[in-house]
């Protein structure tokens, strides 16, 4: 890969990986700024048609079991536009200024959870309306209860834009303005037509009278498609502020891969390997994993999204490790495949080096102006030619499932991030991840059975060429074997045996 400046110097300039930037209360201070979120709202508003309104709902609180919920994670679009991390909230963005009775104007409103000392004692501090104003920079911040009777005349807008409802939330009896109530209120306000969810892009209901309630149903022009496209066009191009966080997430993930290369031995379990990665993430300040960690030894690696990670000893297998740290909302996606013994067997190395060659070809195609499928096409050509040479398939045109997925997707606030997936533009960040998977019982020589290799890196597209943000994790087979000879601090870590 040819670039005009040193990659490592670029990474060091872009983000300093040691823990830093903490406030006096110990909390990180390197989150996205309120100015960033405000700028993203302004960018969205610039795309919206005249006399339109966009409505965003926060993510639902989802139940894990009984009275235990999953750790809350904000909807990426909602976070991108607000910085608000709490549930039960609504963002309303107007394309044009709205006038108040006192003559002042506004073009956005954030409805948030109201302060509640008893609830906060159990589930944590809430920003409330004043926090939304002072910390998030909103001039108009109201409570969810205010949204239930918001007075917005949606029928007066040419277009009302929102994403269709997933209906994967519960109604809490304790909260009269939870997500269930907010959505229900909005549906009533716009006379929501369920047929919209059947694939209709826009619908306008006729003025009619509800015989039971004796109230007129208003005519509202609903658009369920445009908002997703607008957000994808914004999110696929990363700003410098985003790149600091995304690069840090990627580098943390690469460090996890480096440390497990040094710690790996045949007696480890898949779960233990997962634990080493995730410990490194926490050590560097990563809050979460960006997606369930994939650690597949041998044939387990042939399951593309294998998350059971239950094999108790990896033995002499190749171990495919697809993991990504999430740092302040931004998610990496880095995969390495290494020999548990520290040395590739002949067959393992042949497959590994073929995947490496395919990835190199794919990365070279990640340049401004190329079609999004260019890396995949380049990698597929190399893999098919290589499989023919190895006698695994008969011709380069033979249909097979040894490489069943594409090479590339955007990364960002989602591991499979929003984007329009058109030609590459500068400041996109994508994956390039070819793989070869040969399950037991495949129609080829048995010596290949159970070999699974994927190599995945996170690539920044620039006008000067592609930059591999995860380059600190070795990719070449020889470099991996060399690093695996190094001593690991985990090698001396032992816990008491449990009977």
């Amino acid at each position: 890969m040819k670039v005009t400046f040193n990659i490592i110097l670029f990474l060091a300039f872009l983000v300093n990986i040691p823990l830093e930037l903490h406030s006096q209360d110990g909390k990180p201070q390197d989150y996205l700024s309120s100015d960033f979120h405000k700028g993203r709202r302004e960018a969205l508003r610039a795309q919206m048609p005249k006399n339109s309104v966009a409505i965003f709902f926060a993510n639902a609180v989802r139940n894990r079991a009984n009275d235990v919920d999953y750790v809350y994670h904000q909807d990426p679009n909602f976070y991108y536009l607000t910085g608000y991390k709490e549930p039960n909230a609504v963002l309303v963005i107007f394309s044009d200024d709205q006038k108040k009775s006192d003559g002042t104007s506004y073009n956005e409103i954030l409805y948030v959870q109201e302060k509640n000392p008893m609830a906060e004692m159990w589930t944590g501090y809430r920003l409330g309306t004043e926090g939304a104003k002072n910390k998030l920079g909103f001039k108009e911040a109201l409570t969810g209860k205010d949204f239930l009777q918001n007075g917005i005349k949606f029928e007066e807008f040419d277009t009302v834009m929102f994403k269709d409802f997933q209906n994967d939330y519960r109604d809490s009896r304790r909260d009269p303005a939870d997500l269930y109530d907010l959505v229900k209120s909005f549906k009533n306000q716009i006379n929501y037509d369920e047929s919209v969810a059947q694939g209709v892009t826009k619908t306008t209901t006729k003025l009619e009278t509800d015989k039971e309630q004796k109230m007129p149903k208003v005519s509202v022009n609903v658009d369920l498609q445009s908002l997703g496209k607008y957000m994808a066009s914004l999110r696929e191009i990363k700003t410098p502020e985003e790149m600091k966080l995304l690069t840090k997430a990627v580098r943390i993930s690469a460090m996890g891969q480096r440390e497990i290369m040094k710690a790996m031995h045949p007696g480890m379990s898949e779960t233990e390997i997962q634990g080493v990665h995730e410990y490194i993430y926490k050590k560097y300040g990563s809050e979460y994993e960006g997606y369930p960690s994939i650690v597949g030894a041998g044939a387990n690696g042939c399951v593309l999204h294998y998350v059971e990670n239950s094999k108790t000893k990896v033995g002499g297998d190749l171990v495919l490790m697809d993991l990504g740290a999430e740092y302040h909302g931004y998610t990496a996606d880095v995969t390495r495949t290494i020999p548990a013994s520290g040395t590739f067997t002949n067959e393992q190395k042949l497959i590994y080096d073929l995947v490496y060659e395919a990835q190199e070809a794919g990365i070279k195609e990640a340049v401004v102006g190329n079609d999004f499928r260019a890396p995949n096409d380049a990698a597929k050509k190399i893999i098919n030619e290589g499989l023919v040479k190895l006698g695994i398939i008969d011709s380069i045109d033979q249909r097979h499932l040894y490489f069943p997925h594409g090479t590339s997707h955007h990364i960002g606030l989602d591991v499979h991030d929003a984007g329009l997936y058109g030609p590459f533009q500068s400041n996109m960040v994508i994956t390039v991840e070819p793989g070869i998977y040969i399950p037991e019982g495949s129609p080829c020589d048995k010596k290949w059975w159970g070999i699974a290799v994927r190599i995945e890196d996170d690539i920044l597209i620039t006008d000067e060429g592609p930059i591999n943000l995860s380059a600190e994790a070795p990719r070449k087979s020889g470099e991996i074997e060399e690093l695996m000879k190094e001593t690991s601090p985990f090698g001396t870590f032992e816990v008491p045996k449990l009977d």
Side-chain angles (χ1 to χ4, degrees):
M1 174 175 47
K2 224 175 165 182
V3 293
T4 58
F5 50 91
N6 187 282
I7 292 176
I8 300 301
L9 287 178
F10 168 79
L11 295 175
F13 169 77
L14 191 59
V15 55
N16 187 12
I17 201 161
L19 298 178
E20 81 235 331
L21 296 175
H22 293 267
S23 64
Q24 290 183 349
D25 63 3
K27 293 183 179 180
Q29 294 298 293
D30 56 340
Y31 293 106
L32 295 170
S33 67
S34 60
D35 286 340
F36 167 84
H37 299 294
K38 180 181 179 181
R40 297 296 84 196
R41 296 194 298 275
E42 291 173 349
L44 172 61
R45 192 176 290 111
Q47 295 191 64
M48 293 168 60
K50 298 293 289 183
N51 194 35
S52 65
V53 58
I55 298 90
F56 295 85
F57 290 89
N59 246 350
V61 175
R62 295 183 172 90
N63 184 258
R64 183 176 183 270
N66 196 17
D67 58 352
V68 177
D69 294 326
Y70 285 103
V71 174
Y72 184 72
H73 197 285
Q74 187 57 277
D75 174 78
N77 281 335
F78 203 95
Y79 182 72
Y80 185 79
L81 295 171
T82 68
Y84 189 69
K85 301 177 185 177
E86 300 173 31
N88 305 322
V90 186
L91 172 66
V92 181
I93 297 180
F94 303 95
S95 61
D96 310 286
D97 287 350
Q98 307 296 302
K99 294 293 184 181
K100 288 184 176 181
S101 57
D102 62 4
T104 59
S105 62
Y106 60 95
N107 58 17
E108 58 192 16
I109 307 173
L110 180 63
Y111 297 89
V112 300
Q113 293 187 126
E114 63 181 349
K115 297 287 289 181
N116 183 328
M118 182 61 69
E120 291 178 56
M121 181 176 71
W122 286 93
T123 58
Y125 173 78
R126 295 181 178 185
L127 277 181
T129 55
E130 291 307 307
K133 293 176 182 178
N134 297 332
K135 295 187 177 182
L136 302 183
F138 280 87
K139 293 181 180 180
E140 296 291 323
L142 303 172
T143 69
K145 289 181 180 178
D146 294 319
F147 182 76
L148 302 179
Q149 304 292 332
N150 59 60
I152 300 173
K153 296 180 179 179
F154 289 106
E155 70 273 14
E156 295 183 358
F157 292 92
D158 293 337
T159 310
V160 178
M161 297 182 291
F162 58 96
K163 292 181 69 176
D164 200 20
F165 307 105
Q166 300 302 311
N167 297 325
D168 56 350
Y169 42 83
R170 297 182 176 187
D171 183 14
S172 171
R173 296 179 181 179
R174 297 179 180 179
D175 190 345
D178 63 3
L179 182 64
Y180 181 93
D181 297 300
L182 297 173
V183 170
K184 181 180 178 181
S185 172
F186 178 63
K187 287 181 176 181
N188 289 336
Q189 292 172 52
I190 66 170
N191 186 28
Y192 180 69
D193 185 349
E194 295 291 345
S195 68
V196 176
Q198 305 296 318
V200 180
T201 301
K202 295 185 179 181
T203 182
T204 304
T205 59
K206 295 180 180 180
L207 188 67
E208 57 186 40
T209 301
D210 187 316
K211 295 181 180 179
E212 294 182 2
Q213 299 183 12
K214 303 298 182 182
M215 293 177 64
K217 288 186 176 180
V218 296
S219 176
V220 176
N221 193 31
V222 169
D223 183 344
L224 300 181
Q225 305 298 322
S226 297
L227 199 54
K229 294 177 182 178
Y230 296 154
M231 292 304 299
S233 70
L234 293 177
R235 285 174 54 188
E236 70 179 359
I237 307 296
K238 303 307 188 280
T239 70
E241 195 168 350
E242 289 181 283
M243 281 307 305
K244 288 183 179 180
L245 301 183
L246 182 52
T247 300
K248 191 161 187 175
V250 174
R251 293 191 67 199
I252 290 171
S253 303
M255 291 301 172
Q257 296 285 0
R258 288 185 63 89
E259 290 304 316
I260 196 60
M261 288 181 188
K262 292 185 285 185
M264 180 74 74
H265 59 80
M268 294 184 81
S269 69
E270 292 173 341
T271 300
E272 186 179 359
I273 294 166
Q274 174 185 346
V276 171
H277 280 274
E278 294 177 4
Y279 173 79
I280 298 300
Y281 297 174
K282 302 299 184 185
K283 186 69 174 176
Y284 280 120
S286 164
E287 296 92 340
Y288 311 109
E289 299 77 56
Y291 52 95
S293 297
I294 298 168
V295 179
N300 289 340
C302 296
V303 180
L304 301 183
H305 289 171
Y306 171 80
V307 296
E308 187 176 346
N309 303 346
S310 61
K311 191 170 186 175
T312 57
K313 289 186 179 181
V314 295
D317 288 335
L318 284 180
V319 183
L320 188 156
M321 304 171 295
D322 184 341
L323 305 97
E326 179 182 309
Y327 187 80
H328 296 358
Y330 285 82
T331 296
D333 192 1
V334 180
T335 306
R336 292 293 184 268
T337 307
I338 67 176
S341 67
T343 305
F344 290 93
T345 67
N346 182 60
E347 287 75 21
Q348 290 172 349
K349 188 174 187 302
L350 286 169
I351 297 296
Y352 185 92
D353 288 347
L354 176 55
V355 174
Y356 173 81
E357 182 185 354
Q359 191 197 30
E360 284 285 279
I363 292 174
K364 289 177 182 177
E365 295 298 320
V367 296
V368 173
N370 267 5
D371 185 83
F372 204 94
R373 289 192 57 83
N376 183 76
D377 293 342
K380 184 177 180 180
K381 181 177 184 296
I382 296 293
I383 284 177
N384 283 351
E385 291 174 350
L387 291 177
V388 170
K389 290 180 181 178
L390 294 175
I392 296 174
I393 61 175
D394 298 326
S395 73
I396 59 173
D397 299 320
Q398 181 179 331
R399 295 175 64 88
H400 61 83
L401 292 177
Y402 299 126
F403 179 22
H405 59 78
T407 61
S408 302
H409 57 79
H410 292 284
I411 61 170
L413 287 170
D414 279 309
V415 65
H416 294 164
D417 208 33
L420 298 176
Y421 287 82
F424 290 132
Q425 301 178 55
S426 184
N427 296 319
M428 287 180 173
V429 183
I430 67 165
T431 62
V432 178
E433 50 172 315
I436 295 175
Y437 316 89
I438 310 176
E440 301 285 338
S442 295
C444 63
D445 194 310
K446 289 184 178 180
K447 67 181 181 180
W448 306 111
W449 289 5
I451 295 178
V453 175
R454 180 161 68 249
I455 313 173
E456 178 179 20
D457 285 89
D458 300 337
I459 308 299
L460 170 64
I461 296 171
T462 77
D463 292 329
E464 290 79 21
I467 296 174
N468 187 346
L469 300 177
S470 44
E472 288 166 292
R475 291 185 299 135
K476 292 182 178 179
S477 55
E479 291 176 352
I480 289 171
E481 290 177 338
E482 283 302 308
L483 183 57
M484 293 185 74
K485 295 176 183 177
E486 294 189 16
T487 301
S488 166
F490 292 101
T492 57
F493 178 67
E494 294 185 4
V495 294
K497 291 184 178 181
L498 301 177
D499 294 332

